[in-house]
Amino acid sequence: MASKISTSFISPFVIHFNCKNSNNKNKHLNVPLLFSSRPLLPASCKMRQRSFGSQQKRQHVKKGSPDQQRPNDADLVPTSDGDSESESSLIDREPIDVEHTEEQNLGSVFVPELKESLVLNCDGGEELSTSQLDNLISMIRNAEKNILLLNEARVQALEDLHKILQEKEALQGEINALEMRLAETDARIRVAAQEKIHVELLEDQLQKLQHELTHRGVSEHSELDVFANQNEPANEDLVLNNSEIHSFSKELDSLKTENLSLKNDIKVLKAELNSVKDADERVVMLEMERSSLESSLKELESKLSISQEDVAKLSTLKVECKDLYEKVENLQGLLAKATKQADQAISVLQQNQELRKKVDKLEESLDEANIYKLSSEKMQQYNELMQQKMKLLEERLQRSDEEIHSYVQLYQESVKEFQDTLHSLKEESKKRAVHEPVDDMPWEFWSRLLLIIDGWLLEKKLSTSEAKLLREMVWKRNGRIRDAYMECKEKNEHEAISTFLKLTSSSISSGLHVIHIAAEMAPVAKVGGLGDVVAGLGKALQKKGHLVEIVLPKYDCMQYDRIDDLRALDVVVESYFDGRLFKNKVWVSTIEGLPVYFIEPHHPDKFFWRGQFYGEHDDFRRFSFFSRAALELLLQAGKQPDIIHCHDWQTAFVAPLYWDLYVPKGLNSARVCFTCHNFEYQGTAPAKELASCGLDVQQLNRPDRMQDNSAHDRINPLKGAIVFSNIVTTVSPSYAQEVRTSEGGQGLHSTLNFHSKKFVGILNGIDTDAWNPATDTFLKVQYNANDLQGKAENKESIRKHLGLSSADARKPLVKFT
């Protein structure tokens, strides 16, 4: 055989045979098989176009193209563009319809696309295989069956259309008859209406005639009596009138009879009118049926037109199929010749299948490589972005490290300065220490003794120097003053004072004298953490050997049941406010071992008899009054403390009052420590209100003193305490750093940074005596670090009290009060 088959590809729709003859000229055979094995459509349906998506076409080309499987093989020829063109021509062909096609002529009907797509360029006697020819013949028979079914559907549709047309004609006849009846009825109604109008006119004329006759009868009767002797022409006129009346009466009778007949006709017309109305309703119903029939007729006409178009196309297709049948016979011969070439192509096809598998594997690996490449690129971009972010973070970290380093340096300097001051104070206290304190008496005893001495001083029963010496002995817990007090229990006050005066000698205290001026103290007047700090810090300093005293307002809402031995001193302390002096009553007591002074102002506004601690409209006036009254108490009691410790804006007035007013008066031994527990509350007020407590508004309403940083016409007590205090503290080192920033400083960051050398954060502690589970009476079961059994029992008790389920007893339970 001169030609040699290089490759072959067979698909369900197109058979490609690529041939190469002895002259190395490539020739190919494209045989599109156009009949599919899909189920036949119903007879009432119209054959529609078949289309294949571009994606499906690409898959066929990818799987069947030998050129993609062996790109380096010169013997393999890819499918030409003619294949796709012939395939698109198959898709774009109009649907096939059959009209009056005889069964005996269907054997020669074939699809015309077979004619257009069949391209034979091979030389020699190639033949198709028998199986392929059988497949082609079965496809042609399927097409014949489809055409028969279409013909039957066409005949049935024509019969249905004929029936519908007959029904339409019958309905149209009925509609015409009804329209005629309707026209007749309308005409009769119009005639009846005219007759009715005529009758009404006649009735009106008859009434007029009757009225005229009655009127004439009366007038004529009177004229006969009056003119009986008139001449003969008048008598002739009377005869004429009588004849006229007689004619009118006849005419009236005829009109009455005519009126009766017209009434009967009207009744008949009304009955006919009712029947006409019924007919109108039937006409409306028939009109609706006619409209629905017309719509269905239009649909059938459109279907008929479509059927006629399909029949026209089928006739042309019939002719084309005859020609194709002849070509198919020639194709059978070619199929027989191609059988041998197909045998040779099988081996090549097997090789191609193996190559296809390898190519598929390569494509999968290529896809994986592409995915990896994309992921690598994304990772590279992500790494670059992360590197940029790391650089920015490193820069920010470096800047923050520099800021933190500067803050740490400032903090270390302030701590060092504070430690140096504290060390110097300790050295001074050590030098003044003479006797060791006794520890056999509780702190309540010493606090009570100290309050007794202060009471004698305020009541002018002791001099300031004598009270100072006795106070120092109490301060260092001297055993002699303890013994003297025990001896004087049975003596009167005069004898007790004499006994104490015998003990007066030069004595030096062993610790610091600290006075807290605050608005709260736990547990008697507690709103927040300030009360806990004042009580806990006071007890801690007292245990360290320092003398601690506390000054509070005497609120009406305090917990008086927690105050022991509250008594009023027989003395009145006067303090300045609003241009005059106001009296203040002083109460003393010991609270948890600490001596406490309560100031009760005798002011008409009753500053501390409001039923609450804070939240009044005049809080600025209330606490500025209390701050000055507290300093007045220290001055009149002859106290010379080492430290005056004030807290938050309520007692921030103490710092400027101390330096501007009371140092010149002799209260000059102390240094002022101010602690702010929350910089959000600053107590600002109009500048003029500062004059109430005796401070100079013009001197203090300045940016470097007490003027508010955000409103120049307002005074900020918190800022004044920062400026006038010797040292400023807050609740923790981290909070101290936070409030020095613009975000956390609440407008005071610039002032705090300016006074940073005296600003330090000291972490708050807790009162281990109050918060001790081994002695806490509020717990159901006490426990300690060595015995934790009580925790489980307390947890179960809380769960029962709150009504919580005890199914999962191991679940953590957190309770806030």
Side-chain angles (χ1 to χ4, degrees):
M1 184 178 291
S3 63
K4 180 181 178 182
I5 297 176
S6 61
T7 184
S8 173
F9 175 70
I10 300 174
S11 72
F13 296 98
V14 183
I15 301 175
H16 305 274
F17 292 99
N18 298 324
C19 304
K20 183 168 70 174
N21 58 14
S22 59
N23 296 327
N24 293 327
K25 293 182 179 180
N26 293 327
K27 297 182 180 182
H28 58 277
L29 172 63
N30 297 333
V31 183
L33 302 183
L34 307 173
F35 303 99
S36 67
S37 59
R38 295 177 61 186
L40 297 176
L41 296 173
S44 60
C45 298
K46 182 178 75 172
M47 293 183 64
R48 299 184 180 274
Q49 300 177 4
R50 293 186 59 194
S51 62
F52 302 97
S54 58
Q55 185 67 27
Q56 186 177 357
K57 293 179 183 180
R58 286 196 296 271
Q59 291 177 358
H60 281 239
V61 174
K62 179 179 178 181
K63 291 183 179 180
S65 176
D67 184 49
Q68 293 180 1
Q69 297 173 5
R70 297 180 62 186
N72 297 324
D73 194 350
D75 295 335
L76 302 180
V77 180
T79 305
S80 65
D81 294 336
D83 299 340
S84 61
E85 292 176 0
S86 62
E87 191 171 337
S88 63
S89 65
L90 289 175
I91 296 167
D92 296 335
R93 181 70 64 181
E94 292 294 330
I96 300 171
D97 290 334
V98 180
E99 182 180 10
H100 303 295
T101 304
E102 297 179 356
E103 185 176 356
Q104 59 271 18
N105 294 329
L106 291 175
S108 60
V109 178
F110 294 96
V111 180
E113 281 75 6
L114 192 60
K115 174 182 177 181
E116 295 174 4
S117 302
L118 185 60
V119 180
L120 298 174
N121 294 322
C122 294
D123 295 333
E126 295 87 350
E127 293 182 356
L128 297 175
S129 65
T130 304
S131 61
Q132 293 171 347
L133 182 60
D134 292 339
N135 291 333
L136 185 59
I137 292 170
S138 63
M139 292 178 190
I140 292 170
R141 289 175 180 172
N142 289 333
E144 292 173 356
K145 293 179 181 178
N146 288 336
I147 291 169
L148 286 174
L149 292 172
L150 286 173
N151 190 20
E152 292 176 358
R154 165 69 178 168
V155 172
Q156 186 66 30
L158 290 174
E159 292 176 356
D160 293 340
L161 181 60
H162 183 66
K163 291 179 181 179
I164 291 168
L165 289 173
Q166 289 177 355
E167 292 177 356
K168 179 183 177 183
E169 290 175 357
L171 289 172
Q172 189 64 37
E174 292 180 0
I175 290 168
N176 293 332
L178 289 172
E179 288 177 352
M180 291 175 65
R181 289 181 62 187
L182 182 62
E184 292 175 357
T185 305
D186 291 338
R188 292 179 66 183
I189 290 170
R190 285 194 294 272
V191 172
Q194 291 176 0
E195 290 179 355
K196 184 179 180 181
I197 294 169
H198 181 64
V199 169
E200 291 176 354
L201 292 173
L202 289 176
E203 288 178 351
D204 293 337
Q205 291 178 2
L206 181 61
Q207 290 177 358
K208 290 179 181 179
L209 289 172
Q210 289 177 352
H211 181 69
E212 186 177 354
L213 287 173
T214 55
H215 180 68
R216 286 183 180 181
V218 173
S219 61
E220 287 175 357
H221 182 70
S222 61
E223 287 176 358
L224 288 173
D225 293 334
V226 175
F227 301 102
N229 298 319
Q230 284 186 356
N231 55 6
E232 188 175 351
N235 292 328
E236 292 177 357
D237 292 335
L238 182 60
V239 173
L240 292 172
N241 288 330
N242 289 330
S243 62
E244 187 176 355
I245 289 170
H246 183 68
S247 63
F248 276 132
S249 62
K250 287 182 179 180
E251 187 177 356
L252 182 60
D253 293 335
S254 64
L255 286 173
K256 285 181 178 180
T257 54
E258 188 177 355
N259 191 12
L260 291 173
S261 64
L262 286 174
K263 285 182 178 179
N264 294 327
D265 292 338
I266 287 169
K267 290 181 180 180
V268 174
L269 288 173
K270 286 181 178 179
E272 291 180 355
L273 183 61
N274 292 328
S275 64
V276 168
K277 288 181 179 179
D278 296 336
D280 288 339
E281 294 177 357
R282 178 167 178 79
V283 166
V284 171
M285 294 177 62
L286 291 173
E287 185 66 26
M288 294 172 63
E289 292 179 358
R290 184 177 66 82
S291 60
S292 63
L293 289 173
E294 284 179 354
S295 61
S296 62
L297 181 60
K298 287 179 181 178
E299 293 178 358
L300 290 172
E301 286 177 353
S302 62
K303 291 181 180 179
L304 180 60
S305 61
I306 294 170
S307 310
Q308 290 174 355
E309 292 176 0
D310 293 340
V311 169
K313 292 176 183 177
L314 185 61
S315 61
T316 57
L317 184 63
K318 181 178 178 181
V319 177
E320 292 177 355
C321 286
K322 289 180 180 179
D323 297 335
L324 288 175
Y325 183 72
E326 295 176 357
K327 297 251 175 106
V328 170
E329 290 179 352
N330 296 328
L331 185 61
Q332 289 176 356
L334 293 174
L335 286 173
K337 293 178 182 179
T339 304
K340 294 181 181 180
Q341 293 180 353
D343 294 336
Q344 295 177 0
I346 290 172
S347 59
V348 177
L349 183 61
Q350 292 176 352
Q351 296 176 359
N352 289 339
Q353 289 176 351
E354 294 176 357
L355 290 172
R356 188 181 298 113
K357 292 179 180 178
K358 293 180 180 179
V359 169
D360 292 338
K361 291 181 180 179
L362 290 173
E363 287 179 352
E364 292 176 357
S365 60
L366 182 62
D367 293 337
E368 292 177 356
N370 290 331
I371 294 170
Y372 179 75
K373 182 179 179 182
L374 291 173
S375 61
S376 300
E377 292 176 355
K378 290 181 179 178
M379 286 297 296
Q380 186 175 1
Q381 294 176 358
Y382 179 74
N383 290 333
E384 293 176 355
L385 181 62
M386 291 302 296
Q387 288 177 359
Q388 294 176 359
K389 289 183 178 180
M390 288 176 65
K391 289 180 181 179
L392 293 174
L393 289 174
E394 288 176 355
E395 293 175 358
R396 291 178 63 184
L397 184 62
Q398 186 176 1
R399 289 197 298 269
S400 63
D401 288 341
E402 292 175 357
E403 293 177 358
I404 291 171
H405 183 66
S406 63
Y407 291 154
V408 169
Q409 287 181 348
L410 293 173
Y411 175 72
Q412 290 176 350
E413 292 175 0
S414 60
V415 170
K416 185 177 180 182
E417 183 180 357
F418 178 75
Q419 288 177 349
D420 292 340
T421 305
L422 185 63
H423 182 69
S424 62
L425 292 173
K426 286 182 178 180
E427 291 295 330
E428 291 178 3
S429 64
K430 287 180 181 178
K431 291 177 182 179
R432 289 182 289 177
V434 177
H435 301 287
E436 290 295 328
V438 294
D439 297 327
D440 56 348
M441 300 300 290
W443 282 106
E444 287 82 357
F445 169 80
W446 301 107
S447 298
R448 190 179 300 109
L449 187 58
L450 184 63
L451 292 174
I452 291 172
I453 295 171
D454 288 340
W456 290 342
L457 174 63
L458 291 171
E459 294 168 358
K460 307 299 183 182
K461 296 176 181 178
L462 291 176
S463 65
T464 304
S465 59
E466 292 170 345
K468 182 178 180 181
L469 293 174
L470 292 173
R471 192 183 294 118
E472 288 178 354
M473 293 180 70
V474 173
W475 185 354
K476 66 179 186 177
R477 292 175 287 172
N478 193 298
R480 293 186 301 156
I481 198 168
R482 177 202 60 186
D483 297 336
Y485 176 78
M486 301 301 290
E487 291 176 2
C488 296
K489 279 188 176 182
E490 304 296 333
K491 297 180 181 180
N492 57 30
E493 186 180 30
H494 181 71
E495 293 175 349
I497 293 173
S498 300
T499 304
F500 275 85
L501 288 176
K502 294 177 183 179
L503 300 175
T504 57
S505 62
S506 59
S507 61
I508 302 174
S509 62
S510 60
L512 295 175
H513 185 189
V514 181
I515 297 178
H516 289 272
I517 302 176
E520 298 180 31
M521 180 185 178
V524 295
K526 179 180 180 302
V527 175
L530 170 60
D532 293 323
V533 170
V534 172
L537 180 60
K539 290 193 291 184
L541 292 174
Q542 193 181 60
K543 290 179 180 179
K544 292 288 185 181
H546 304 292
L547 175 61
V548 181
E549 297 177 301
I550 298 171
V551 182
L552 294 175
K554 188 176 183 295
Y555 300 101
D556 61 341
C557 54
M558 289 193 303
Q559 296 186 25
Y560 287 93
D561 57 340
R562 306 293 294 273
I563 303 175
D564 298 330
D565 300 329
L566 179 65
R567 63 187 180 89
L569 297 179
D570 188 14
V571 65
V572 174
V573 176
E574 293 184 341
S575 63
Y576 175 87
F577 199 76
D578 284 338
R580 54 172 290 193
L581 294 176
F582 289 93
K583 295 181 179 181
N584 299 277
K585 191 173 184 179
V586 181
W587 299 72
V588 294
S589 179
T590 56
I591 299 174
E592 297 190 356
L594 294 171
V596 181
Y597 298 86
F598 296 98
I599 296 177
E600 181 184 356
H602 289 181
H603 192 278
D605 291 340
K606 296 184 178 181
F607 285 141
F608 300 107
W609 291 83
R610 305 287 182 85
Q612 61 180 358
F613 299 107
Y614 308 132
E616 297 293 326
H617 67 281
D618 57 348
D619 278 353
F620 188 91
R621 289 171 52 80
R622 294 170 67 211
F623 289 102
S624 61
F625 181 97
F626 166 70
S627 297
R628 175 144 191 179
L631 289 174
E632 194 67 34
L633 172 64
L634 301 186
L635 178 65
Q636 295 186 23
K639 295 181 181 292
Q640 292 293 328
D642 297 302
I643 297 174
I644 297 176
H645 196 162
C646 47
H647 301 265
D648 285 344
W649 77 266
Q650 288 86 358
T651 56
F653 304 96
V654 169
L657 284 169
Y658 175 78
W659 293 110
D660 283 5
L661 300 180
Y662 285 90
V663 167
K665 294 182 179 181
L667 183 62
N668 56 5
S669 63
R671 295 295 180 264
V672 179
C673 175
F674 174 71
T675 298
C676 181
H677 300 263
N678 192 340
F679 280 88
E680 186 176 354
Y681 304 101
Q682 300 178 11
T684 61
K688 62 182 180 180
E689 293 192 9
L690 188 64
S692 298
C693 63
L695 290 172
D696 190 346
V697 178
Q698 293 182 352
Q699 291 295 324
L700 296 178
N701 189 22
R702 289 164 42 181
D704 60 336
R705 295 193 178 178
M706 294 184 70
Q707 187 181 79
D708 188 60
N709 292 336
S710 58
H712 297 164
D713 59 341
R714 297 180 71 82
I715 288 291
N716 191 327
L718 199 63
K719 180 181 177 181
I722 296 171
V723 172
F724 284 93
S725 298
N726 298 99
I727 188 168
V728 181
T729 70
T730 188
V731 295
S732 70
S734 60
Y735 188 55
Q737 296 298 327
E738 179 184 344
V739 296
R740 290 177 63 180
T741 64
S742 58
E743 294 82 6
Q746 305 293 332
L748 291 176
H749 57 283
S750 59
T751 304
L752 291 170
N753 287 322
F754 184 80
H755 296 278
S756 60
K757 289 186 178 181
K758 64 178 182 180
F759 179 50
V760 63
I762 301 174
L763 187 63
N764 275 347
I766 62 169
D767 186 353
T768 55
D769 293 333
W771 300 99
N772 185 2
T775 58
D776 193 349
T777 58
F778 292 99
L779 296 177
K780 182 179 180 180
V781 180
Q782 286 72 35
Y783 63 94
N784 54 41
N786 298 323
D787 182 13
L788 298 177
Q789 182 62 32
K791 289 189 70 176
E793 297 181 18
N794 290 326
K795 180 179 178 182
E796 183 64 25
S797 175
I798 292 175
R799 296 180 74 90
K800 289 181 179 179
H801 179 71
L802 298 177
L804 301 176
S805 173
S806 59
D808 190 1
R810 297 180 61 84
K811 185 179 293 184
L813 178 64
V814 181
K815 179 177 178 292
F816 290 93
T817 57

